[in-house]
Amino acid sequence: MTDLQDYPPQVQDEIARTREEVCELHAELTRWNLVVWTAGNVSQRLHSADLMVIKPSGVRYDRLTPDDMVVCDLDGVLVDGDHSPSSDTAAHAYVYRHMPEIYGVVHTHSTYATAWAARGEEIPCVLTMMGDEFGGPVPVGPFAIIGDDSIGRGIVETLRDSRSPAVLMQNHGPFTIGKTAEAAVKAAAMVEEVAHTVYVARQLGDPLPIAQDLIDRLHDRYTTVYGQH
Amino acid sequence: MTDLQDYPPQVQDEIARTREEVCELHAELTRWNLVVWTAGNVSQRLHSADLMVIKPSGVRYDRLTPDDMVVCDLDGVLVDGDHSPSSDTAAHAYVYRHMPEIYGVVHTHSTYATAWAARGEEIPCVLTMMGDEFGGPVPVGPFAIIGDDSIGRGIVETLRDSRSPAVLMQNHGPFTIGKTAEAAVKAAAMVEEVAHTVYVARQLGDPLPIAQDLIDRLHDRYTTVYGQH
Amino acid sequence: MTDLQDYPPQVQDEIARTREEVCELHAELTRWNLVVWTAGNVSQRLHSADLMVIKPSGVRYDRLTPDDMVVCDLDGVLVDGDHSPSSDTAAHAYVYRHMPEIYGVVHTHSTYATAWAARGEEIPCVLTMMGDEFGGPVPVGPFAIIGDDSIGRGIVETLRDSRSPAVLMQNHGPFTIGKTAEAAVKAAAMVEEVAHTVYVARQLGDPLPIAQDLIDRLHDRYTTVYGQH
Amino acid sequence: MTDLQDYPPQVQDEIARTREEVCELHAELTRWNLVVWTAGNVSQRLHSADLMVIKPSGVRYDRLTPDDMVVCDLDGVLVDGDHSPSSDTAAHAYVYRHMPEIYGVVHTHSTYATAWAARGEEIPCVLTMMGDEFGGPVPVGPFAIIGDDSIGRGIVETLRDSRSPAVLMQNHGPFTIGKTAEAAVKAAAMVEEVAHTVYVARQLGDPLPIAQDLIDRLHDRYTTVYGQH
C-alpha cells in the first residue's frame, strides 16, 4: 500500500475534501430512500491524481465518517484506508478508466429502478422530467456478475451512446454517472423517482408518449441553459 | 436589476416576511414527500407591490435559507437575489398576472399525481376529502413545454372554470394555487394523497362514485363553514 | 362557554393530563404516516366528567401544543379552548354517548384503509395479526356525510356487533375506537398496515384464507392473555 | 425467578452488553420501516450462558431502553426483567435450542414480506442481491399459530435445509436468523426490500429468471469472500 504522505500536498488536500464530500453524499442515499442497510455506494475521482474515493465495504450508513472513506487507484487497488473498499469498486474503476469525462459513480438497489431491471425493461420517456434529465428512456444493461470487468463494461457500453446518466443493469440495479459524485447521486435519486412514477402510470393504463422532437428540445434546453448535466 | 432599497419600507418588510414563509414552506414539500432533490418550488405574491418571492434554481432543500429566496416582478424578471429564479418562474408569474385573487403557486413532480398526469387522466372524485378540497375531479391540463407562456396558459385555462386548486399538467406534474402559498402547499399535499389513494382503490377494482349533489354539498360546506379555500 | 374553574379539581387535573396525552398521540399519527396536513384527529373521553378532549380544527401537526387541545361536552359543544374543535367532533361525541365502554376515538384518511373504503370493500382476515387485533375482517360502514349524526350512527351501528375496533366509512376513511385514545391510535396504525399488506397480497393473487375457528382462537388468546383490547 | 447476581461476572457483563445491542437494533426496525407500533422483536443468544435477551411485550419502540430488555432461558422462561417477554419468545427459544449456530432471531410483520406470506408464495430469486444474501428463493413456512412450539418448529424445519436466513411463515410474516442479532436484523431489512422489489417487478410483467449456477456463484462468493453470512 502506497503511503499517502508520498503524494503532493494538493493531492492530499483533494483527498481530504473528497472524503468529506463522498461521506456526506452517502447520507443523501438514505435521505431519498435509495438504499437499505449497506447496499449502495458512491465514489468520486480526483482531478489532481489518478485516484478515487469510495465507500468502505459493509459499514452501516449511520456510522460512516469521512475517515472511513477508502482511497483506491483506478484499477481499484487500495491506496489508503482502514477498511476494504466496496465490493463494487472494480465497476466504478472501470467506468473512470473508460469514460475520462466522468468523475462520479453511484450504485444502488433502489426499489423501483431495480424492479425494472429485474424485468430487463427500459423505462419509457413519458415525463417531461425524464426528457430533461435523461433525454430519452433509461436503458437496460446486460446481465453481468461480480468478479471480473463485465459489470463495468456493461455500464460503459450502454451509457457511451446514450444521453442517460443512468443504466439499469439487468437483474441487478441502477448505476449512475456524472461530472461529480453529487451529479451521480442526483441521477440516482431521479432514476428511482421516474421508475416509481412510470410504474404507477403503467398500472393505471398506458402512459401517453412524448414525441422524440419534444424530448430533444427538453433535453437540449436543460443541458444548455442550465448546464446541469 | 432594481435596488431593493428603492421600495417603500412596508414592501421591504413584506419581502423579508415572505422570504421566511416561502423558505419554511419548502420544508413542507420534503416533509410530505412531494419532491426529490430540487424538483419542486413554491412562490408567494406580495400584497404591497407587484412582486413575487420564489425558490432559487438548483439549490438543495436542506440548504435553502430565507436569504436564498429570489424576488421577481410579475413578468418573472429578477428584482433581488443572489441566485437565478426557479426555471418555473414564468409559469408562476403568468398565473399571478391572470388570476388576481391568487397569491400562492406550487409546482411539484410528486409521484402519484405525476403518474395520473402521465396517463392524461383526471382523478375521479370518489373520496369525501376530494369533495371537500377539490369540489370534483382533479383536472388534467394540456401538454406544454417550458420556454414560453404555454404552461402558465394551460394552468389558468384549466383552473379558471374549475373548483379544484390543482391541475395535473399532462406528462409533467401538478401545479396548485391558493390565496396564500401555504394554501397552495396544502393543495399540493392533498392532491398527492388523493392521487395515491384513488390509484390504490382502482387497483382493487372500481371505486364507488359519489353523486354530484353530494359532492356539491361537501364542497359548499367546506368552503363556507371553514372558509379554507 | 362554561368556565373550566367551575369544575372540581380532579376534573381539571384529568383535563390537563388528557390534553398532554391527546397532543402527544397526534405525533403518533404523523410518525406512522397516517395523516397529511391536518386531516386526522384523536379524542379521549374523561372518566371524571362527561367531557372529551379533541384536536382543534385546521392547526398543523407540528405546531400542536397541549394548550391547543379543545375540551367539549358529549354533545360536541365547546367547553374550553382557544380554537374551534375538529370538524369531526360530532362523530366522536356520538360514539361516546352510545358506546359507554369507549374512551378513545381516532379518525384518519390513511391511504390504504381509505382506498378500501372508496371501494366499499371490507378487508378480509388473511393475516394472523388481523385475527389478533380485529378478530375478523375490517368492516365497511355506510356512506354518510358531515353535518348531522349520520357518521356517528354509521360507526356505532357497524362496530357494535363487530370484534373490530376499526370501521372503514364508505368513500371516507377509517374511524377506530378503544378503551383509551392510545388504543384507538394503535388500531388506526394497525388498520392502515393490514390494509396495505392485504392490498399487496391481492395484487399478487388471491390471499390464502384463515379458517374461522383459528381466527377465533387467535383473537380469544390475544384479548384474554394480553388484555390489550 | 433466578437472581441475576447468581451468574458469574462475565455472564452479567455479556447480559449488559447484549441489552444495549438488542435495544439499539430495535431502532433499526423502525429506521427501515419494518414494524408498526410494537409488532416486531429482536433477540440475541448469549455465548457465556444458555440465555437470551429479547424485547419486552407491548412497549412502544420510542420508549425502549436497554433496561427494558428481558432475559430468558432457552425454554423462554423469564430470568430477569421488569416486563413480560415478547409473546414470540417461545419461537425464538425453539430456534436457539434446535439451531446451535444461530445467535440472533428477528420477527416482523413488514408489509411486503407479509403480503407474500399471505399468499403462501415464495419470493423467486430474480435479483443478484437475492443470490448474494439468500442463495435462492425466500421460502414459505407452514401455517402455525401461537401457543405451542409449532411456529418455532416451522421456522427450523424450513430453514434447516435452506441457504436463506429468512422464512415467510404463512399468513403471518417473516422470521430471520443469523450468527448475531445484527445479522438477523440485516436479513429482516433485506427480505422486506426484495419482497417489495420483486412485487413491483411482477406487477410490470414476468421478472427475468437467473440461472441456478449463477445464483450459486453469487452466493458462494458472497459468503466466502465477505463472510457476511
Side-chain angles (χ1 to χ4, degrees), chain A residues 128-165:
Chain A
T128 56
M129 181 166 70
M130 291 187 72
D132 288 348
E133 295 279 345
F134 299 96
V138 178
V140 174
F143 183 87
I145 72 174
I146 207 163
D148 58 20
D149 274 343
S150 59
I151 294 177
R153 201 162 51 234
I155 298 168
V156 169
E157 283 171 5
T158 310
L159 292 184
R160 190 172 264 157
D161 302 316
S162 171
R163 295 192 290 203
S164 169

Side-chain angles (χ1 to χ4, degrees), chain C residues 126 128 193 204 206 208 226, chain D residues 60 87 111 118-119 171 202:
Chain C
V126 296
T128 56
E193 182 60 22
L204 287 169
D206 288 323
L208 301 177
Y226 292 95
Chain D
R60 278 159 52 181
S87 57
T111 311
R119 280 278 301 148
N171 293 107
R202 233 200 25 200

Side-chain angles (χ1 to χ4, degrees), chain B residues 24 28 31-32 126-129 182 186 189 193 196-197 200-201 203-208 214 217 221 226, chain C residues 35-37 57 60 62-63 87 109 111-112 114-115 118-120 143 145-146 170-172 199 202-203:
Chain B
E24 188 265 345
E28 297 295 309
R31 180 196 302 268
W32 302 113
V126 296
L127 303 172
T128 56
M129 181 165 70
E182 181 174 345
K186 181 186 179 186
E193 181 62 21
H196 191 173
T197 303
V200 172
Q203 297 304 108
L204 287 169
D206 288 323
L208 302 176
L214 293 171
R217 278 172 56 193
R221 186 177 187 286
Y226 292 95
Chain C
V35 290
V36 168
W37 209 253
S57 179
R60 278 158 53 182
D62 55 330
R63 297 177 177 170
S87 57
H109 299 88
T111 310
Y112 290 86
T114 301
R119 280 279 301 151
F143 182 87
I145 73 175
I146 206 163
Q170 186 188 310
N171 294 107
H172 186 168
Y199 163 76
R202 231 194 35 194
Q203 298 304 108

Side-chain angles (χ1 to χ4, degrees), chain C residues 138-151:
Chain C
V138 179
V140 174
F143 182 87
I145 73 175
I146 206 163
D148 58 20
D149 273 344
S150 58
I151 294 177

Side-chain angles (χ1 to χ4, degrees), chain B residues 66-177:
Chain B
D67 284 348
D68 290 329
M69 299 297 131
V70 170
V71 182
C72 293
D73 67 23
L74 298 191
D75 292 313
V77 177
L78 183 69
V79 170
D80 187 65
D82 301 328
H83 301 272
S84 303
S86 162
S87 58
D88 296 303
T89 300
H92 291 242
Y94 188 97
V95 172
Y96 293 129
R97 287 203 308 279
H98 293 83
M99 300 185 93
E101 73 284 13
I102 294 304
Y103 284 82
V105 175
V106 172
H107 174 45
T108 78
H109 298 88
S110 64
T111 310
Y112 290 87
T114 301
W116 288 88
R119 279 279 301 150
E121 191 177 351
E122 68 176 24
I123 309 173
C125 184
V126 296
L127 303 172
T128 56
M129 181 165 70
M130 293 187 71
D132 288 348
E133 294 279 345
F134 299 97
V138 179
V140 174
F143 183 87
I145 72 174
I146 206 163
D148 58 20
D149 274 344
S150 59
I151 294 177
R153 203 162 48 234
I155 298 168
V156 169
E157 283 171 5
T158 310
L159 292 184
R160 191 171 264 156
D161 303 316
S162 172
R163 294 193 290 203
S164 169
V167 53
L168 307 173
M169 293 298 285
Q170 186 188 310
N171 294 106
H172 185 167
F175 283 80
T176 58
I177 59 175

Side-chain angles (χ1 to χ4, degrees), chain A residues 107-188:
Chain A
H107 173 45
T108 78
H109 298 87
S110 65
T111 311
Y112 290 87
T114 301
W116 288 89
R119 279 279 299 150
E121 192 177 350
E122 68 176 25
I123 309 174
C125 184
V126 296
L127 304 172
T128 56
M129 181 166 70
M130 291 187 72
D132 288 348
E133 295 279 345
F134 299 96
V138 178
V140 174
F143 183 87
I145 72 174
I146 207 163
D148 58 20
D149 274 343
S150 59
I151 294 177
R153 201 162 51 234
I155 298 168
V156 169
E157 283 171 5
T158 310
L159 292 184
R160 190 172 264 157
D161 302 316
S162 171
R163 295 192 290 203
S164 169
V167 53
L168 308 172
M169 292 299 284
Q170 186 188 310
N171 294 105
H172 185 167
F175 283 79
T176 59
I177 59 174
K179 289 181 180 165
T180 61
E182 181 174 345
V185 172
K186 180 186 179 186

